[in-house]
Amino acid sequence: MGGAGGRSGFYVGLGLALASSAFIGGSFILKKKGLLRLCRRGRARAGQGGHAYLQEWLWWAGLLCMGVGEAANFAAYAFAPATLVTPLGALSVLVSAVLSSTFLHEQLNVHGKIGCILSILGSTVMVIHAPQEEEVSSLESMAEKLKDPGFIVFAVCVLVSSLLLIFVAGPRYGQSNVLVYVLVCSAIGSLSVSCVKGLGIALKELFSGKPVLKEPLGWVLLVCLVICISIQINYLNKALDIFNTSVVTPIYYVLFTTAVMMCSAILFKEWQHMVLDNIIGTISGFLTIVSGIFLLHAFRDMPFTPDLLPLFLQQGRTDLHASWRNADRHQSCQHQPLLPSEDKGSHSTEEEEAESV
């Protein structure tokens, strides 16, 4: 990553991203365990408007894990490229799926296991071929990046398209097309990641003793981040309320990560100095993660039974031993001498007489 300092920062960001996925994935399990304990006690459930979970320590432990994970993810953007940190967020889904099958006894079918393996392989490929971004070590350099004409055009396109989706497409197609609200979340989310990146740099400077609090850019980024996150939460909740979670989650992940990668490529020039094999590796790793997330969510509730196998595989499964016996018998006949023609004729005559009787 361009020197020992750059490599060490890259590995710090990678470690923070992985830790974030572990904490966020584990937080869902702790919260779920706490809610199940309340349900067994007969307390009012959260889905029925109850707030008894506020008295359950497991729920608070899950909330604490969630906070630690989000803080680690926030810090990871200050050290590693956003193109690497954002896709690795899919590992939290993997951690949650594996832990739920272990501690919550939820079924993880064959599709889910294949999806977990694909997510791990895709994440590994993306780490190996991670892009190298231009050095942004201060708010001054961040301000120069934000003034780039390419990023300004991208930001204007994102804002205009989001407004059209909210005020034009939303009232017409929001209740029937899952892409409307998810596209709003993904487009605005790409700008929020840029704000997080800038705030991470500001925190690094603050801890190093620089007077960052006097810089207006840091406060502007903070206000923009709050606005972007509020819009994301609002329209993501709308999408989850209308459509199935197994549909919204993989689509949101794909669109959000794609938007972040585009924004990072334009703002931080992450792809400018990459060679062809690293570009192919990054895209291949991302598509592998997408395939894994799709398998993990789309077929979550589908039981895998032998009846789901193709017909020729079912026939092969039932007649496997019979086919082996026929093959062995056919192979043994090949080594026997052919019967003489007169013997075959007499043999067929005897068979005809036996049938007539």
Side-chain angles (χ1 to χ4, degrees):
M1 298 296 293
R7 283 195 297 270
S8 62
F10 172 80
Y11 290 127
V12 170
L14 175 61
L16 288 171
L18 294 176
S20 170
S21 298
F23 277 105
I24 293 176
S27 69
F28 292 110
I29 307 304
L30 291 173
K31 288 182 179 180
K32 184 69 174 181
K33 290 282 287 185
L35 294 175
L36 289 176
R37 287 180 60 175
L38 291 174
C39 182
R40 287 194 295 267
R41 295 174 186 171
R43 307 292 294 274
R45 303 182 63 175
Q48 300 172 349
H51 297 87
Y53 57 85
L54 296 176
Q55 302 176 1
E56 177 59 49
W57 69 270
L58 273 177
W59 187 88
W60 283 105
L63 184 64
L64 178 62
C65 284
M66 176 71 74
V68 173
E70 293 295 344
N73 187 66
F74 180 89
Y77 283 105
F79 295 94
T83 306
L84 173 68
V85 177
T86 304
L88 288 182
L91 294 180
S92 63
V93 180
L94 183 150
V95 172
S96 177
V98 173
L99 292 180
S100 62
S101 65
T102 304
F103 296 102
L104 300 178
H105 306 291
E106 295 182 1
Q107 184 180 5
L108 185 62
N109 55 19
V110 176
H111 304 92
K113 294 176 182 177
I114 295 175
C116 292
I117 295 174
L118 289 177
S119 299
I120 294 174
L121 293 177
S123 301
T124 304
V125 172
M126 287 206 71
V127 170
I128 294 174
H129 298 279
Q132 180 178 357
E133 64 185 11
E134 287 189 356
E135 187 65 25
V136 182
S137 57
S138 63
L139 284 180
E140 290 80 8
S141 58
M142 184 69 184
E144 293 297 326
K145 295 291 183 185
L146 293 175
K147 295 177 184 178
D148 185 76
F151 176 74
I152 293 175
V153 172
F154 175 81
V156 170
C157 292
V158 166
L159 293 176
V160 172
S161 60
S162 299
L163 291 175
L164 291 175
L165 287 170
I166 292 173
F167 295 106
V168 178
R172 296 181 181 180
Y173 310 107
Q175 300 292 323
S176 58
N177 194 329
V178 68
L179 292 178
V180 176
Y181 293 139
V182 175
L183 279 173
V184 175
C185 300
S186 303
I188 299 298
S190 65
L191 299 180
S192 68
V193 169
S194 301
C195 296
V196 168
K197 184 78 174 178
L199 288 174
I201 295 171
L203 287 177
K204 288 174 64 177
E205 289 189 326
L206 180 63
F207 293 146
S208 63
K210 295 182 180 180
V212 178
L213 298 178
K214 298 179 180 180
E215 295 287 340
L217 180 59
W219 297 104
V220 171
L221 291 175
L222 180 60
V223 172
C224 292
L225 178 62
V226 172
I227 295 174
C228 291
I229 291 179
S230 301
I231 295 174
Q232 281 183 266
I233 294 175
N234 180 37
Y235 286 95
L236 183 59
N237 287 335
K238 284 188 176 183
L240 290 173
D241 185 55
I242 298 171
F243 303 98
N244 197 315
T245 305
S246 61
V247 176
V248 175
T249 303
I251 294 177
Y252 174 64
Y253 170 79
V254 173
L255 295 179
F256 173 69
T257 307
T258 303
V260 170
M261 293 172 67
M262 291 175 57
C263 182
S264 301
I266 295 172
L267 181 59
F268 300 110
K269 307 295 189 295
E270 292 180 352
W271 299 65
Q272 186 172 357
H273 304 290
M274 290 178 65
V275 295
L276 182 60
D277 58 344
N278 285 336
I279 294 176
I280 296 175
T282 301
I283 296 175
S284 300
F286 172 61
L287 293 179
T288 304
I289 297 176
V290 168
S291 303
I293 295 298
F294 176 77
L295 286 175
L296 191 60
H297 280 276
F299 303 101
R300 176 190 299 174
D301 300 324
M302 179 181 292
F304 187 83
T305 61
D307 296 335
L308 297 176
L309 291 172
L311 186 59
F312 72 94
L313 289 179
Q314 294 185 29
Q315 292 176 350
R317 179 173 54 85
T318 55
D319 300 335
L320 184 61
H321 297 291
S323 62
W324 284 349
R325 287 195 299 268
N326 292 334
D328 293 338
R329 184 162 56 249
H330 177 71
Q331 184 177 6
S332 62
C333 291
Q334 290 179 349
H335 299 282
Q336 294 178 357
L338 295 176
L339 293 174
S341 58
E342 62 271 18
D343 292 339
K344 290 192 290 183
S346 61
H347 182 68
S348 60
T349 305
E350 292 175 358
E351 288 183 351
E352 292 177 356
E353 291 176 355
E355 290 177 357
S356 61
V357 174

